[in-house]
Amino acid sequence: VRNKTIITNLENRLLAFSFENEACVEIQVISNKEGEWQVGDIFTGRINNIIPNIKAAFVTIGDEQCYYSLEDNKHTTFLNVKKDNTPHVNDEILVQIEREASKSKNAGGSCYFNLTGEFLVLTYHKKGIGISKKIGNEEYRRLRADMEKVLLHLQNEYEESELCGFIVRTSGANASFSQLLADADSLIKQLQSLMFKAKSSVSGKCLYKSKSVLREIMNRTGIGEDSAVITDDEAIYKQLERENENRFAKVNIEFYNNELPLKAVYELEHILKEAVAKKVWLKGGGYLILEPTEALTVIDVNSGKDIKGRDNKEEHILKVNLQAAKEIARQIMLRNYSGIIIVDFIDMKKAEHKKELLKYLKEQLLMDSVKTVLVDITRLGLVEITRRKLKKPLYEQWRDFKDN
């Protein structure tokens, strides 16, 4: 199985380990707290403070507050009567949670709502068609042509479609035109229902709950013989089966009940321990040191051995750096680092080697489903990467659960 997700309990916590081609690319601690905000939830809220210096507002949702950038959010949906489109204190608005709260920061809110279906994501106030980066060129062209027909159909049926775009998810790679149309139609109706309910809702009301974590795991794992979700938890297995009943395309769900524990078969305890460790070894004897801080994450690449006696020192350094680049891209996804990431590769003298390394690193980062950008290499030879923040990094998720 090329893509698989293992869901099991470790230290009384439910975790999901996602594998691609035998390599673990993501670990998620699954929360079971009732009423906890999730990225993707949409609420009615009230603006209680505007800070002009940072062009931001703070929106009260129930007993909590979220940060709302006035610079980034140009299409605020107001629920009270307005003479203009300028946000003011006490305005009631719709907000989608786009970033989890951290120890020192409030959750982040957005006016650009995303509604997630089985194959598509509806993007409100962001028009156009997007296709998952993991979908191949041939399918890409077919899906774009089908989605253009879908948009034409929707524009004849729904006024709201004029403000909407769609992204085809990786799970939609093999979806037919009729499946794409049905999914898009369902999402537009969800948007209509949400807007209708918002008009009469009190402040702090959750109008749209993000898809369940299990459904998202199924979507990311994919369909077909080379994909599967495996669990040894009977309750989780039953939930997965219920989720599967309502899908167009069924996911392979496997219940594991052999004598050897599932965590031992896939060495999950070892994988988790490595994923929160400071040091990561590379195949050739080099290693990475990973240091996440509040402001940024620093990754240092080391050769791990004396290379002075080698015949071709420059070629060896390039080889270690290329190994490091591949592992760094995986570790960023695995550990869910975000914000500014600085990488200190081993110094290289040749310009063509630097160019080759950056090109290779950029290709590896394209595999990330979260928006990740290789910014540049600084004058000091440091490589700067930025990654969109959605959820807490793995070490924080695990620490929070250990503390509780």
Side-chain angles (χ1 to χ4, degrees), residues 1-4 19 21 174 221-228 252:
V1 177
R2 188 172 65 87
N3 294 334
K4 58 177 171 278
F19 292 81
N21 299 319
N174 299 309
T221 303
I223 58 175
E225 292 181 359
D226 64 347
S227 301
N252 291 324

Side-chain angles (χ1 to χ4, degrees), residues 11 13 397-404:
E11 297 186 31
R13 302 297 177 193
Q397 292 180 48
W398 188 243
R399 182 193 63 200
D400 289 351
F401 275 110
K402 298 278 269 187
D403 291 346
N404 291 332

Side-chain angles (χ1 to χ4, degrees), residues 281-288 300-308 310 313 316-317 320-321 323-324 344-347:
W281 286 98
L282 303 173
K283 285 182 180 178
Y287 62 91
L288 309 176
D300 187 34
V301 181
N302 295 271
S303 65
K305 62 180 78 171
D306 186 6
I307 60 173
K308 288 181 181 178
R310 291 186 175 265
K313 185 178 173 182
H316 178 69
I317 290 173
V320 174
N321 278 338
Q323 285 181 348
D344 186 8
F345 284 101
I346 304 168
D347 289 339

Side-chain angles (χ1 to χ4, degrees), residues 47-274:
I47 297 176
N48 73 352
N49 193 11
I50 291 177
I51 305 174
N53 290 349
I54 59 171
K55 297 180 181 177
F58 284 91
V59 180
T60 299
I61 300 170
D63 297 327
E64 304 289 336
Q65 285 195 94
C66 82
Y67 172 85
Y68 187 79
S69 169
L70 300 178
E71 192 169 33
D72 296 337
N73 292 299
K74 302 293 187 184
H75 296 281
T76 299
T77 300
F78 296 99
L79 302 178
N80 52 295
V81 178
K82 293 279 292 177
K83 292 181 180 178
D84 57 34
N85 288 322
T86 305
H88 294 102
V89 171
N90 290 326
D91 277 341
E92 292 193 4
I93 66 174
L94 277 182
V95 176
Q96 182 167 49
I97 305 303
E98 67 168 357
R99 187 189 70 237
E100 282 185 347
S102 64
K103 206 169 186 180
S104 60
K105 293 181 181 177
N106 295 91
S110 174
C111 69
Y112 300 103
F113 310 143
N114 292 338
L115 305 185
T116 305
E118 188 173 332
F119 306 119
L120 304 172
V121 176
L122 179 151
T123 56
Y124 185 56
H125 280 305
K126 285 188 178 179
K127 300 178 186 179
I129 299 166
I131 311 284
S132 167
K133 293 179 289 187
K134 294 187 178 181
I135 293 176
N137 289 336
E138 195 171 322
E139 280 300 299
Y140 180 97
R141 287 189 289 270
R142 194 267 303 176
L143 288 166
R144 178 162 283 279
D146 280 355
M147 285 307 301
E148 285 172 358
K149 293 176 195 171
V150 167
L151 282 180
L152 280 174
H153 175 83
L154 294 176
Q155 285 164 6
N156 292 329
E157 295 286 327
Y158 306 103
E159 288 181 15
E160 290 84 357
S161 67
E162 294 292 335
L163 299 173
C164 298
F166 288 91
I167 298 168
V168 181
R169 312 180 66 186
T170 307
S171 57
N174 299 309
S176 66
F177 170 75
S178 60
Q179 288 175 327
L180 294 171
L181 180 58
D183 208 25
D185 192 78
S186 172
L187 289 169
I188 286 280
K189 285 175 179 171
Q190 284 183 52
L191 178 67
Q192 284 183 322
S193 173
L194 186 153
M195 292 301 183
F196 179 76
K197 284 190 268 184
K199 292 174 184 177
S200 56
S201 293
V202 295
S203 180
K205 177 80 173 174
C206 182
L207 299 177
Y208 174 83
K209 194 71 183 164
S210 180
K211 301 296 182 188
S212 77
V213 173
L214 294 181
R215 196 182 308 176
E216 281 304 296
I217 286 170
M218 292 165 76
N219 284 339
R220 285 202 306 273
T221 303
I223 58 175
E225 292 181 359
D226 64 347
S227 301
V229 180
I230 306 165
T231 184
D232 57 357
D233 186 305
E234 195 169 352
I236 293 296
Y237 177 73
K238 288 177 180 176
Q239 286 183 54
L240 289 167
E241 287 284 88
R242 285 196 295 272
E243 292 282 3
N244 222 9
E245 287 174 5
N246 301 318
R247 295 176 63 89
F248 289 114
K250 305 302 182 189
V251 174
N252 291 324
I253 311 294
E254 298 178 15
F255 181 66
Y256 182 90
N257 62 353
N258 291 352
E259 193 173 324
L260 186 64
L262 187 59
K263 65 182 181 182
V265 173
Y266 291 98
E267 299 181 324
L268 300 181
E269 288 176 319
H270 176 69
I271 289 171
L272 178 61
K273 185 179 178 182
E274 282 195 336

Side-chain angles (χ1 to χ4, degrees), residues 330-345:
R330 186 178 81 90
Q331 290 293 331
I332 287 171
M333 291 187 284
L334 178 66
R335 297 168 183 243
N336 197 28
Y337 289 148
S338 60
I340 299 170
I341 302 164
I342 301 295
V343 183
D344 186 8
F345 284 101

Side-chain angles (χ1 to χ4, degrees), residues 318-379:
L318 174 62
K319 182 181 175 182
V320 174
N321 278 338
L322 290 173
Q323 285 181 348
K326 184 173 184 177
E327 187 60 29
I328 284 165
R330 186 178 81 90
Q331 290 293 331
I332 287 171
M333 291 187 284
L334 178 66
R335 297 168 183 243
N336 197 28
Y337 289 148
S338 60
I340 299 170
I341 302 164
I342 301 295
V343 183
D344 186 8
F345 284 101
I346 304 168
D347 289 339
M348 296 183 295
K349 293 176 182 177
K350 294 183 179 180
E352 62 265 32
H353 285 179
K354 293 178 183 178
K355 191 174 180 180
E356 182 181 347
L357 175 62
L358 289 179
K359 182 175 180 289
Y360 183 71
L361 178 59
K362 195 170 187 177
E363 289 169 357
Q364 295 301 309
L365 293 173
L366 283 174
M367 303 304 293
D368 199 339
S369 59
V370 177
K371 186 178 180 182
T372 307
V373 178
L374 196 164
V375 180
D376 206 350
I377 185 165
T378 69
R379 285 186 294 177

